[in-house]
mmCIF file of all heavy atoms in Angstrom:
data_model
loop_
_atom_site.group_PDB
_atom_site.id
_atom_site.type_symbol
_atom_site.label_atom_id
_atom_site.label_comp_id
_atom_site.label_asym_id
_atom_site.label_seq_id
_atom_site.Cartn_x
_atom_site.Cartn_y
_atom_site.Cartn_z
ATOM 1 N N MET A 1 -6.509 -25.444 14.922
ATOM 2 C CA MET A 1 -5.801 -25.812 13.615
ATOM 3 C C MET A 1 -5.969 -24.627 12.673
ATOM 4 O O MET A 1 -7.097 -24.102 12.506
ATOM 5 C CB MET A 1 -6.406 -27.050 13.163
ATOM 6 C CG MET A 1 -6.167 -27.384 11.723
ATOM 7 S SD MET A 1 -7.087 -28.835 11.260
ATOM 8 C CE MET A 1 -8.689 -28.211 10.833
ATOM 9 N N TYR A 2 -4.884 -24.333 11.991
ATOM 10 C CA TYR A 2 -5.051 -23.232 10.954
ATOM 11 C C TYR A 2 -5.596 -23.849 9.643
ATOM 12 O O TYR A 2 -5.076 -24.859 9.206
ATOM 13 C CB TYR A 2 -3.691 -22.687 10.696
ATOM 14 C CG TYR A 2 -3.272 -21.609 11.684
ATOM 15 C CD1 TYR A 2 -2.243 -21.794 12.601
ATOM 16 C CD2 TYR A 2 -3.922 -20.369 11.757
ATOM 17 C CE1 TYR A 2 -1.985 -20.899 13.597
ATOM 18 C CE2 TYR A 2 -3.581 -19.371 12.668
ATOM 19 C CZ TYR A 2 -2.626 -19.615 13.590
ATOM 20 O OH TYR A 2 -2.272 -18.760 14.520
ATOM 21 N N VAL A 3 -6.467 -23.129 9.100
ATOM 22 C CA VAL A 3 -7.030 -23.580 7.860
ATOM 23 C C VAL A 3 -6.361 -22.665 6.716
ATOM 24 O O VAL A 3 -5.835 -23.147 5.745
ATOM 25 C CB VAL A 3 -8.616 -23.418 7.792
ATOM 26 C CG1 VAL A 3 -9.078 -23.638 6.387
ATOM 27 C CG2 VAL A 3 -9.191 -24.318 8.703
ATOM 28 N N CYS A 4 -6.340 -21.434 7.012
ATOM 29 C CA CYS A 4 -5.702 -20.454 6.118
ATOM 30 C C CYS A 4 -4.488 -19.878 6.695
ATOM 31 O O CYS A 4 -4.510 -19.109 7.683
ATOM 32 C CB CYS A 4 -6.724 -19.271 5.720
ATOM 33 S SG CYS A 4 -5.962 -18.133 4.621
ATOM 34 N N LEU A 5 -3.256 -20.265 6.227
ATOM 35 C CA LEU A 5 -2.065 -19.806 6.833
ATOM 36 C C LEU A 5 -1.724 -18.399 6.408
ATOM 37 O O LEU A 5 -1.245 -17.616 7.248
ATOM 38 C CB LEU A 5 -0.803 -20.728 6.412
ATOM 39 C CG LEU A 5 -0.745 -22.019 7.119
ATOM 40 C CD1 LEU A 5 0.277 -22.930 6.509
ATOM 41 C CD2 LEU A 5 -0.656 -21.899 8.608
ATOM 42 N N CYS A 6 -2.087 -18.127 5.205
ATOM 43 C CA CYS A 6 -1.846 -16.602 4.703
ATOM 44 C C CYS A 6 -2.489 -15.620 5.603
ATOM 45 O O CYS A 6 -1.907 -14.577 5.909
ATOM 46 C CB CYS A 6 -2.265 -16.527 3.309
ATOM 47 S SG CYS A 6 -1.440 -17.534 2.115
ATOM 48 N N LYS A 7 -3.710 -15.927 6.015
ATOM 49 C CA LYS A 7 -4.549 -14.984 6.830
ATOM 50 C C LYS A 7 -4.608 -15.378 8.289
ATOM 51 O O LYS A 7 -5.086 -14.600 9.003
ATOM 52 C CB LYS A 7 -5.884 -14.836 6.257
ATOM 53 C CG LYS A 7 -5.920 -14.306 4.804
ATOM 54 C CD LYS A 7 -5.670 -12.818 4.740
ATOM 55 C CE LYS A 7 -5.708 -12.339 3.296
ATOM 56 N NZ LYS A 7 -5.581 -10.888 3.276
ATOM 57 N N GLY A 8 -4.007 -16.494 8.575
ATOM 58 C CA GLY A 8 -4.090 -16.866 10.065
ATOM 59 C C GLY A 8 -5.443 -17.159 10.541
ATOM 60 O O GLY A 8 -5.893 -16.973 11.666
ATOM 61 N N ILE A 9 -6.259 -17.891 9.667
ATOM 62 C CA ILE A 9 -7.647 -18.203 10.050
ATOM 63 C C ILE A 9 -7.703 -19.752 10.524
ATOM 64 O O ILE A 9 -7.269 -20.561 9.847
ATOM 65 C CB ILE A 9 -8.608 -18.149 8.826
ATOM 66 C CG1 ILE A 9 -8.426 -16.756 8.126
ATOM 67 C CG2 ILE A 9 -10.125 -18.319 9.261
ATOM 68 C CD1 ILE A 9 -8.772 -15.591 8.966
ATOM 69 N N THR A 10 -8.365 -19.909 11.673
ATOM 70 C CA THR A 10 -8.499 -21.205 12.228
ATOM 71 C C THR A 10 -9.857 -21.886 12.033
ATOM 72 O O THR A 10 -10.706 -21.173 11.684
ATOM 73 C CB THR A 10 -8.202 -21.209 13.845
ATOM 74 O OG1 THR A 10 -9.341 -20.430 14.455
ATOM 75 C CG2 THR A 10 -6.965 -20.549 14.128
ATOM 76 N N ASP A 11 -9.934 -23.213 12.275
ATOM 77 C CA ASP A 11 -11.142 -23.839 11.964
ATOM 78 C C ASP A 11 -12.169 -23.321 13.088
ATOM 79 O O ASP A 11 -13.372 -23.240 12.775
ATOM 80 C CB ASP A 11 -10.984 -25.351 12.164
ATOM 81 C CG ASP A 11 -10.285 -25.804 13.440
ATOM 82 O OD1 ASP A 11 -9.660 -24.952 14.074
ATOM 83 O OD2 ASP A 11 -10.416 -26.961 13.863
ATOM 84 N N LYS A 12 -11.680 -22.981 14.296
ATOM 85 C CA LYS A 12 -12.597 -22.400 15.203
ATOM 86 C C LYS A 12 -13.325 -21.100 14.773
ATOM 87 O O LYS A 12 -14.510 -20.893 15.029
ATOM 88 C CB LYS A 12 -11.886 -22.159 16.544
ATOM 89 C CG LYS A 12 -11.449 -23.357 17.206
ATOM 90 C CD LYS A 12 -11.343 -23.120 18.842
ATOM 91 C CE LYS A 12 -11.097 -24.457 19.440
ATOM 92 N NZ LYS A 12 -9.634 -24.987 19.273
ATOM 93 N N GLN A 13 -12.535 -20.288 14.018
ATOM 94 C CA GLN A 13 -13.059 -19.102 13.597
ATOM 95 C C GLN A 13 -14.233 -19.418 12.539
ATOM 96 O O GLN A 13 -15.191 -18.684 12.430
ATOM 97 C CB GLN A 13 -12.009 -18.201 12.967
ATOM 98 C CG GLN A 13 -11.199 -17.488 13.959
ATOM 99 C CD GLN A 13 -10.040 -16.745 13.325
ATOM 100 O OE1 GLN A 13 -8.962 -17.367 13.123
ATOM 101 N NE2 GLN A 13 -10.167 -15.487 13.022
ATOM 102 N N ILE A 14 -13.917 -20.401 11.784
ATOM 103 C CA ILE A 14 -14.914 -20.831 10.694
ATOM 104 C C ILE A 14 -16.223 -21.371 11.427
ATOM 105 O O ILE A 14 -17.338 -20.895 10.994
ATOM 106 C CB ILE A 14 -14.348 -21.736 9.769
ATOM 107 C CG1 ILE A 14 -13.204 -21.180 8.934
ATOM 108 C CG2 ILE A 14 -15.323 -22.386 8.776
ATOM 109 C CD1 ILE A 14 -12.408 -22.078 7.978
ATOM 110 N N VAL A 15 -15.986 -22.152 12.353
ATOM 111 C CA VAL A 15 -17.115 -22.669 13.085
ATOM 112 C C VAL A 15 -17.994 -21.570 13.678
ATOM 113 O O VAL A 15 -19.111 -21.511 13.645
ATOM 114 C CB VAL A 15 -16.795 -23.721 14.207
ATOM 115 C CG1 VAL A 15 -17.872 -24.151 15.116
ATOM 116 C CG2 VAL A 15 -16.193 -24.992 13.559
ATOM 117 N N LYS A 16 -17.271 -20.557 14.208
ATOM 118 C CA LYS A 16 -17.987 -19.429 14.887
ATOM 119 C C LYS A 16 -18.726 -18.596 13.770
ATOM 120 O O LYS A 16 -19.842 -18.248 13.994
ATOM 121 C CB LYS A 16 -16.865 -18.624 15.464
ATOM 122 C CG LYS A 16 -17.397 -17.457 16.363
ATOM 123 C CD LYS A 16 -16.927 -17.526 17.792
ATOM 124 C CE LYS A 16 -17.984 -16.929 18.715
ATOM 125 N NZ LYS A 16 -18.255 -17.692 19.843
ATOM 126 N N ALA A 17 -18.099 -18.534 12.621
ATOM 127 C CA ALA A 17 -18.771 -17.812 11.565
ATOM 128 C C ALA A 17 -20.032 -18.508 11.107
ATOM 129 O O ALA A 17 -20.994 -17.767 10.853
ATOM 130 C CB ALA A 17 -17.793 -17.606 10.329
ATOM 131 N N VAL A 18 -19.979 -19.774 11.165
ATOM 132 C CA VAL A 18 -21.164 -20.592 10.751
ATOM 133 C C VAL A 18 -22.192 -20.449 11.769
ATOM 134 O O VAL A 18 -23.516 -20.198 11.519
ATOM 135 C CB VAL A 18 -20.860 -22.115 10.548
ATOM 136 C CG1 VAL A 18 -22.091 -23.026 10.444
ATOM 137 C CG2 VAL A 18 -20.023 -22.293 9.370
ATOM 138 N N GLU A 19 -21.803 -20.378 13.003
ATOM 139 C CA GLU A 19 -22.797 -20.186 14.074
ATOM 140 C C GLU A 19 -23.464 -18.827 13.967
ATOM 141 O O GLU A 19 -24.649 -18.552 14.332
ATOM 142 C CB GLU A 19 -22.146 -20.245 15.519
ATOM 143 C CG GLU A 19 -21.809 -21.677 15.918
ATOM 144 C CD GLU A 19 -20.917 -21.744 17.055
ATOM 145 O OE1 GLU A 19 -20.538 -20.784 17.715
ATOM 146 O OE2 GLU A 19 -20.629 -22.933 17.473
ATOM 147 N N ASN A 20 -22.682 -17.892 13.400
ATOM 148 C CA ASN A 20 -23.252 -16.446 13.126
ATOM 149 C C ASN A 20 -23.857 -16.412 11.789
ATOM 150 O O ASN A 20 -24.173 -15.257 11.383
ATOM 151 C CB ASN A 20 -22.144 -15.467 13.359
ATOM 152 C CG ASN A 20 -21.682 -15.372 14.740
ATOM 153 O OD1 ASN A 20 -22.442 -15.541 15.683
ATOM 154 N ND2 ASN A 20 -20.350 -15.155 14.986
ATOM 155 N N GLY A 21 -24.117 -17.522 11.048
ATOM 156 C CA GLY A 21 -24.943 -17.434 9.875
ATOM 157 C C GLY A 21 -24.256 -17.618 8.580
ATOM 158 O O GLY A 21 -24.836 -17.639 7.491
ATOM 159 N N ALA A 22 -22.895 -17.811 8.573
ATOM 160 C CA ALA A 22 -22.187 -17.986 7.287
ATOM 161 C C ALA A 22 -22.545 -19.418 6.703
ATOM 162 O O ALA A 22 -22.585 -20.436 7.507
ATOM 163 C CB ALA A 22 -20.776 -17.999 7.392
ATOM 164 N N VAL A 23 -22.825 -19.464 5.388
ATOM 165 C CA VAL A 23 -23.192 -20.726 4.792
ATOM 166 C C VAL A 23 -22.389 -21.122 3.555
ATOM 167 O O VAL A 23 -22.588 -22.204 2.970
ATOM 168 C CB VAL A 23 -24.704 -20.855 4.378
ATOM 169 C CG1 VAL A 23 -25.533 -20.782 5.574
ATOM 170 C CG2 VAL A 23 -25.075 -19.710 3.469
ATOM 171 N N SER A 24 -21.423 -20.154 3.176
ATOM 172 C CA SER A 24 -20.602 -20.332 2.058
ATOM 173 C C SER A 24 -19.242 -19.923 2.166
ATOM 174 O O SER A 24 -18.979 -19.100 3.009
ATOM 175 C CB SER A 24 -21.197 -19.805 0.811
ATOM 176 O OG SER A 24 -21.141 -18.326 0.990
ATOM 177 N N VAL A 25 -18.328 -20.576 1.259
ATOM 178 C CA VAL A 25 -16.928 -20.096 1.375
ATOM 179 C C VAL A 25 -16.841 -18.689 0.857
ATOM 180 O O VAL A 25 -15.960 -17.961 1.417
ATOM 181 C CB VAL A 25 -16.134 -21.003 0.399
ATOM 182 C CG1 VAL A 25 -14.660 -20.553 0.211
ATOM 183 C CG2 VAL A 25 -16.058 -22.381 0.900
ATOM 184 N N ARG A 26 -17.712 -18.297 0.090
ATOM 185 C CA ARG A 26 -17.663 -16.922 -0.378
ATOM 186 C C ARG A 26 -17.884 -15.887 0.812
ATOM 187 O O ARG A 26 -17.211 -14.910 0.882
ATOM 188 C CB ARG A 26 -18.746 -16.727 -1.505
ATOM 189 C CG ARG A 26 -18.786 -15.282 -1.967
ATOM 190 C CD ARG A 26 -19.858 -14.922 -2.947
ATOM 191 N NE ARG A 26 -19.816 -15.978 -3.996
ATOM 192 C CZ ARG A 26 -20.816 -16.082 -4.998
ATOM 193 N NH1 ARG A 26 -21.880 -15.398 -4.970
ATOM 194 N NH2 ARG A 26 -20.667 -16.961 -5.950
ATOM 195 N N GLU A 27 -18.735 -16.377 1.700
ATOM 196 C CA GLU A 27 -18.999 -15.441 2.881
ATOM 197 C C GLU A 27 -17.764 -15.446 3.692
ATOM 198 O O GLU A 27 -17.378 -14.401 4.267
ATOM 199 C CB GLU A 27 -20.094 -15.944 3.667
ATOM 200 C CG GLU A 27 -21.440 -15.544 3.005
ATOM 201 C CD GLU A 27 -22.667 -16.184 3.653
ATOM 202 O OE1 GLU A 27 -23.072 -15.769 4.705
ATOM 203 O OE2 GLU A 27 -23.112 -17.209 3.205
ATOM 204 N N LEU A 28 -17.065 -16.634 3.930
ATOM 205 C CA LEU A 28 -15.901 -16.644 4.725
ATOM 206 C C LEU A 28 -14.698 -15.840 4.149
ATOM 207 O O LEU A 28 -14.029 -15.085 4.734
ATOM 208 C CB LEU A 28 -15.373 -18.033 4.814
ATOM 209 C CG LEU A 28 -16.349 -19.082 5.487
ATOM 210 C CD1 LEU A 28 -15.669 -20.457 5.434
ATOM 211 C CD2 LEU A 28 -16.528 -18.805 6.916
ATOM 212 N N ARG A 29 -14.733 -15.851 2.704
ATOM 213 C CA ARG A 29 -13.722 -15.004 2.032
ATOM 214 C C ARG A 29 -14.017 -13.500 2.296
ATOM 215 O O ARG A 29 -13.157 -12.704 2.499
ATOM 216 C CB ARG A 29 -13.854 -15.290 0.535
ATOM 217 C CG ARG A 29 -12.838 -14.532 -0.324
ATOM 218 C CD ARG A 29 -12.822 -15.013 -1.668
ATOM 219 N NE ARG A 29 -12.307 -16.367 -1.766
ATOM 220 C CZ ARG A 29 -12.659 -17.271 -2.714
ATOM 221 N NH1 ARG A 29 -13.422 -16.819 -3.829
ATOM 222 N NH2 ARG A 29 -12.097 -18.412 -2.712
ATOM 223 N N LYS A 30 -15.251 -13.195 2.230
ATOM 224 C CA LYS A 30 -15.595 -11.855 2.483
ATOM 225 C C LYS A 30 -15.272 -11.375 3.901
ATOM 226 O O LYS A 30 -14.856 -10.278 4.151
ATOM 227 C CB LYS A 30 -17.094 -11.603 2.224
ATOM 228 C CG LYS A 30 -17.397 -10.185 1.532
ATOM 229 C CD LYS A 30 -18.715 -9.937 0.968
ATOM 230 C CE LYS A 30 -19.850 -10.734 1.257
ATOM 231 N NZ LYS A 30 -21.138 -10.289 0.756
ATOM 232 N N GLN A 31 -15.582 -12.272 4.830
ATOM 233 C CA GLN A 31 -15.444 -11.911 6.130
ATOM 234 C C GLN A 31 -13.952 -11.880 6.627
ATOM 235 O O GLN A 31 -13.531 -11.024 7.394
ATOM 236 C CB GLN A 31 -16.248 -13.022 7.013
ATOM 237 C CG GLN A 31 -16.541 -12.577 8.407
ATOM 238 C CD GLN A 31 -17.498 -13.475 9.023
ATOM 239 O OE1 GLN A 31 -18.333 -14.156 8.406
ATOM 240 N NE2 GLN A 31 -17.359 -13.730 10.350
ATOM 241 N N PHE A 32 -13.291 -12.931 6.164
ATOM 242 C CA PHE A 32 -11.835 -13.159 6.661
ATOM 243 C C PHE A 32 -10.666 -12.778 5.610
ATOM 244 O O PHE A 32 -9.625 -12.721 6.016
ATOM 245 C CB PHE A 32 -11.622 -14.518 7.201
ATOM 246 C CG PHE A 32 -12.616 -14.889 8.285
ATOM 247 C CD1 PHE A 32 -13.354 -16.048 8.139
ATOM 248 C CD2 PHE A 32 -12.554 -14.254 9.561
ATOM 249 C CE1 PHE A 32 -14.269 -16.477 9.330
ATOM 250 C CE2 PHE A 32 -13.372 -14.682 10.629
ATOM 251 C CZ PHE A 32 -14.162 -15.733 10.424
ATOM 252 N N GLY A 33 -11.163 -12.733 4.416
ATOM 253 C CA GLY A 33 -10.083 -12.631 3.441
ATOM 254 C C GLY A 33 -9.529 -13.985 3.188
ATOM 255 O O GLY A 33 -8.460 -14.102 2.467
ATOM 256 N N LEU A 34 -10.153 -14.999 3.592
ATOM 257 C CA LEU A 34 -9.648 -16.469 3.473
ATOM 258 C C LEU A 34 -9.496 -16.864 1.956
ATOM 259 O O LEU A 34 -10.568 -16.541 1.242
ATOM 260 C CB LEU A 34 -10.655 -17.362 4.211
ATOM 261 C CG LEU A 34 -10.587 -18.907 4.197
ATOM 262 C CD1 LEU A 34 -10.931 -19.346 5.554
ATOM 263 C CD2 LEU A 34 -11.212 -19.585 3.019
ATOM 264 N N GLY A 35 -8.462 -17.331 1.598
ATOM 265 C CA GLY A 35 -8.297 -17.752 0.133
ATOM 266 C C GLY A 35 -8.001 -16.705 -0.729
ATOM 267 O O GLY A 35 -7.864 -16.912 -1.976
ATOM 268 N N ASN A 36 -7.748 -15.536 -0.263
ATOM 269 C CA ASN A 36 -7.461 -14.396 -1.158
ATOM 270 C C ASN A 36 -6.005 -14.336 -1.587
ATOM 271 O O ASN A 36 -5.720 -13.589 -2.497
ATOM 272 C CB ASN A 36 -7.762 -13.049 -0.518
ATOM 273 C CG ASN A 36 -9.356 -12.753 -0.662
ATOM 274 O OD1 ASN A 36 -10.024 -13.470 -1.395
ATOM 275 N ND2 ASN A 36 -9.797 -11.777 0.064
ATOM 276 N N GLN A 37 -5.176 -15.082 -0.981
ATOM 277 C CA GLN A 37 -3.738 -15.012 -1.352
ATOM 278 C C GLN A 37 -3.380 -16.247 -2.212
ATOM 279 O O GLN A 37 -3.425 -16.167 -3.392
ATOM 280 C CB GLN A 37 -2.825 -14.753 -0.181
ATOM 281 C CG GLN A 37 -2.932 -13.305 0.195
ATOM 282 C CD GLN A 37 -2.008 -13.041 1.404
ATOM 283 O OE1 GLN A 37 -0.964 -13.602 1.601
ATOM 284 N NE2 GLN A 37 -2.357 -12.035 2.278
ATOM 285 N N CYS A 38 -2.860 -17.326 -1.613
ATOM 286 C CA CYS A 38 -2.399 -18.401 -2.396
ATOM 287 C C CYS A 38 -3.618 -19.348 -2.845
ATOM 288 O O CYS A 38 -3.490 -20.023 -3.846
ATOM 289 C CB CYS A 38 -1.441 -19.297 -1.582
ATOM 290 S SG CYS A 38 -2.205 -20.205 -0.280
ATOM 291 N N GLY A 39 -4.681 -19.307 -2.071
ATOM 292 C CA GLY A 39 -6.004 -20.089 -2.439
ATOM 293 C C GLY A 39 -5.848 -21.505 -2.071
ATOM 294 O O GLY A 39 -6.806 -22.287 -2.339
ATOM 295 N N LYS A 40 -4.748 -21.995 -1.509
ATOM 296 C CA LYS A 40 -4.602 -23.308 -1.181
ATOM 297 C C LYS A 40 -5.608 -23.839 -0.017
ATOM 298 O O LYS A 40 -5.938 -25.036 0.096
ATOM 299 C CB LYS A 40 -3.223 -23.638 -0.611
ATOM 300 C CG LYS A 40 -2.223 -23.667 -1.756
ATOM 301 C CD LYS A 40 -0.880 -24.159 -1.312
ATOM 302 C CE LYS A 40 0.180 -24.012 -2.300
ATOM 303 N NZ LYS A 40 1.520 -23.547 -1.778
ATOM 304 N N CYS A 41 -6.073 -22.955 0.703
ATOM 305 C CA CYS A 41 -6.949 -23.249 1.825
ATOM 306 C C CYS A 41 -8.429 -23.420 1.454
ATOM 307 O O CYS A 41 -9.217 -23.921 2.294
ATOM 308 C CB CYS A 41 -6.910 -22.164 2.931
ATOM 309 S SG CYS A 41 -7.306 -20.538 2.143
ATOM 310 N N THR A 42 -8.749 -23.011 0.289
ATOM 311 C CA THR A 42 -10.185 -23.027 -0.134
ATOM 312 C C THR A 42 -10.863 -24.490 0.023
ATOM 313 O O THR A 42 -11.962 -24.570 0.668
ATOM 314 C CB THR A 42 -10.367 -22.661 -1.557
ATOM 315 O OG1 THR A 42 -9.655 -21.430 -1.717
ATOM 316 C CG2 THR A 42 -11.929 -22.308 -1.943
ATOM 317 N N CYS A 43 -10.176 -25.468 -0.368
ATOM 318 C CA CYS A 43 -10.752 -26.797 -0.337
ATOM 319 C C CYS A 43 -10.923 -27.304 1.229
ATOM 320 O O CYS A 43 -11.967 -27.799 1.506
ATOM 321 C CB CYS A 43 -9.772 -27.836 -0.998
ATOM 322 S SG CYS A 43 -10.516 -29.435 -1.311
ATOM 323 N N MET A 44 -9.913 -27.029 1.997
ATOM 324 C CA MET A 44 -10.016 -27.381 3.414
ATOM 325 C C MET A 44 -11.031 -26.506 4.008
ATOM 326 O O MET A 44 -11.770 -27.030 4.957
ATOM 327 C CB MET A 44 -8.605 -27.069 4.023
ATOM 328 C CG MET A 44 -8.535 -27.821 5.324
ATOM 329 S SD MET A 44 -7.068 -27.260 6.195
ATOM 330 C CE MET A 44 -6.722 -28.602 7.258
ATOM 331 N N ALA A 45 -11.103 -25.236 3.756
ATOM 332 C CA ALA A 45 -12.074 -24.383 4.361
ATOM 333 C C ALA A 45 -13.419 -24.928 3.954
ATOM 334 O O ALA A 45 -14.436 -24.861 4.849
ATOM 335 C CB ALA A 45 -11.961 -22.969 3.754
ATOM 336 N N ARG A 46 -13.715 -25.374 2.849
ATOM 337 C CA ARG A 46 -15.074 -25.941 2.347
ATOM 338 C C ARG A 46 -15.408 -27.170 3.243
ATOM 339 O O ARG A 46 -16.525 -27.331 3.726
ATOM 340 C CB ARG A 46 -15.044 -26.313 0.910
ATOM 341 C CG ARG A 46 -16.430 -26.721 0.402
ATOM 342 C CD ARG A 46 -16.404 -26.751 -1.130
ATOM 343 N NE ARG A 46 -16.381 -25.398 -1.720
ATOM 344 C CZ ARG A 46 -15.455 -25.062 -2.543
ATOM 345 N NH1 ARG A 46 -14.446 -25.894 -2.928
ATOM 346 N NH2 ARG A 46 -15.470 -23.867 -3.052
ATOM 347 N N GLY A 47 -14.388 -27.963 3.492
ATOM 348 C CA GLY A 47 -14.593 -29.106 4.338
ATOM 349 C C GLY A 47 -14.957 -28.841 5.835
ATOM 350 O O GLY A 47 -15.980 -29.371 6.330
ATOM 351 N N VAL A 48 -14.242 -27.839 6.290
ATOM 352 C CA VAL A 48 -14.588 -27.352 7.670
ATOM 353 C C VAL A 48 -15.942 -26.779 7.673
ATOM 354 O O VAL A 48 -16.764 -27.088 8.603
ATOM 355 C CB VAL A 48 -13.536 -26.411 8.215
ATOM 356 C CG1 VAL A 48 -13.854 -25.802 9.550
ATOM 357 C CG2 VAL A 48 -12.079 -27.061 8.372
ATOM 358 N N LEU A 49 -16.189 -25.942 6.761
ATOM 359 C CA LEU A 49 -17.518 -25.343 6.659
ATOM 360 C C LEU A 49 -18.646 -26.332 6.570
ATOM 361 O O LEU A 49 -19.666 -26.171 7.343
ATOM 362 C CB LEU A 49 -17.518 -24.319 5.371
ATOM 363 C CG LEU A 49 -18.875 -23.729 5.119
ATOM 364 C CD1 LEU A 49 -19.005 -22.357 5.899
ATOM 365 C CD2 LEU A 49 -19.033 -23.347 3.566
ATOM 366 N N ASN A 50 -18.528 -27.263 5.770
ATOM 367 C CA ASN A 50 -19.574 -28.278 5.529
ATOM 368 C C ASN A 50 -19.781 -29.148 6.836
ATOM 369 O O ASN A 50 -20.900 -29.423 7.198
ATOM 370 C CB ASN A 50 -19.241 -29.259 4.416
ATOM 371 C CG ASN A 50 -19.496 -28.586 3.075
ATOM 372 O OD1 ASN A 50 -20.107 -27.570 2.920
ATOM 373 N ND2 ASN A 50 -18.833 -29.072 1.942
ATOM 374 N N GLU A 51 -18.689 -29.401 7.457
ATOM 375 C CA GLU A 51 -18.771 -30.121 8.727
ATOM 376 C C GLU A 51 -19.515 -29.362 9.738
ATOM 377 O O GLU A 51 -20.441 -29.782 10.460
ATOM 378 C CB GLU A 51 -17.401 -30.533 9.125
ATOM 379 C CG GLU A 51 -17.413 -31.654 10.134
ATOM 380 C CD GLU A 51 -16.018 -32.118 10.524
ATOM 381 O OE1 GLU A 51 -15.195 -32.263 9.575
ATOM 382 O OE2 GLU A 51 -15.693 -32.057 11.630
ATOM 383 N N ALA A 52 -19.188 -28.063 9.790
ATOM 384 C CA ALA A 52 -19.828 -27.157 10.800
ATOM 385 C C ALA A 52 -21.327 -26.932 10.579
ATOM 386 O O ALA A 52 -22.054 -26.937 11.424
ATOM 387 C CB ALA A 52 -19.160 -25.727 10.852
ATOM 388 N N LEU A 53 -21.650 -26.936 9.213
ATOM 389 C CA LEU A 53 -23.095 -26.767 8.862
ATOM 390 C C LEU A 53 -23.812 -27.938 9.163
ATOM 391 O O LEU A 53 -24.991 -27.922 9.668
ATOM 392 C CB LEU A 53 -23.174 -26.446 7.218
ATOM 393 C CG LEU A 53 -22.730 -25.179 6.876
ATOM 394 C CD1 LEU A 53 -22.729 -25.092 5.275
ATOM 395 C CD2 LEU A 53 -23.740 -24.058 7.355
ATOM 396 N N GLU A 54 -23.250 -29.134 9.097
ATOM 397 C CA GLU A 54 -23.943 -30.355 9.491
ATOM 398 C C GLU A 54 -24.122 -30.513 10.876
ATOM 399 O O GLU A 54 -25.118 -31.091 11.446
ATOM 400 C CB GLU A 54 -23.079 -31.581 9.016
ATOM 401 C CG GLU A 54 -23.346 -31.964 7.585
ATOM 402 C CD GLU A 54 -22.257 -32.934 7.055
ATOM 403 O OE1 GLU A 54 -21.729 -33.762 7.878
ATOM 404 O OE2 GLU A 54 -22.014 -32.993 5.840
ATOM 405 N N ASN A 55 -23.237 -29.850 11.769
ATOM 406 C CA ASN A 55 -23.438 -29.894 13.137
ATOM 407 C C ASN A 55 -24.252 -28.833 13.771
ATOM 408 O O ASN A 55 -24.446 -28.727 15.017
ATOM 409 C CB ASN A 55 -22.016 -29.756 13.755
ATOM 410 C CG ASN A 55 -21.192 -31.134 13.517
ATOM 411 O OD1 ASN A 55 -21.855 -32.179 13.241
ATOM 412 N ND2 ASN A 55 -19.857 -31.019 13.377
ATOM 413 N N THR A 56 -24.796 -28.033 12.935
ATOM 414 C CA THR A 56 -25.644 -26.819 13.559
ATOM 415 C C THR A 56 -27.121 -27.205 13.350
ATOM 416 O O THR A 56 -27.478 -27.998 12.500
ATOM 417 C CB THR A 56 -25.361 -25.539 12.785
ATOM 418 O OG1 THR A 56 -25.428 -25.596 11.469
ATOM 419 C CG2 THR A 56 -24.033 -25.076 13.279
HETATM 420 FE FE1 FES N 1 -5.401 -19.187 2.683
HETATM 421 FE FE2 FES N 1 -3.068 -18.976 1.432
HETATM 422 S S1 FES N 1 -3.696 -20.397 2.916
HETATM 423 S S2 FES N 1 -4.936 -17.928 1.000
#
């Protein structure tokens, strides 16, 4: 599932980033450019991130 359409970032990529140590949306932004265009994905990205953090 796409989380960030502008950059083509999927939930799987976010989960992978968490597995590699990402703990904040800021890190995802730095890593993928997520949320840098329209910004609509930030809320959903946070949800996916939190869920992934709970599962690790
Ligand atoms: Fe992520 Fe637009 S959907 S910046």
Side-chain angles (χ1 to χ4, degrees):
M1 162 186 85
Y2 279 107
V3 174
C4 178
L5 284 176
C6 295
K7 298 286 181 174
I9 311 299
T10 64
D11 56 341
K12 287 205 174 76
Q13 283 172 277
I14 294 177
V15 170
K16 189 122 210 132
V18 169
E19 284 169 3
N20 290 328
V23 294
S24 68
V25 171
R26 184 182 300 172
E27 282 170 81
L28 298 177
R29 179 172 294 154
K30 216 168 19 177
Q31 199 170 327
F32 299 121
L34 177 149
N36 276 350
Q37 279 183 34
C38 72
K40 283 187 188 144
C41 56
T42 310
C43 192
M44 195 190 206
R46 185 166 293 123
V48 174
L49 177 82
N50 287 340
E51 202 175 304
L53 286 171
E54 279 169 23
N55 292 332
T56 50

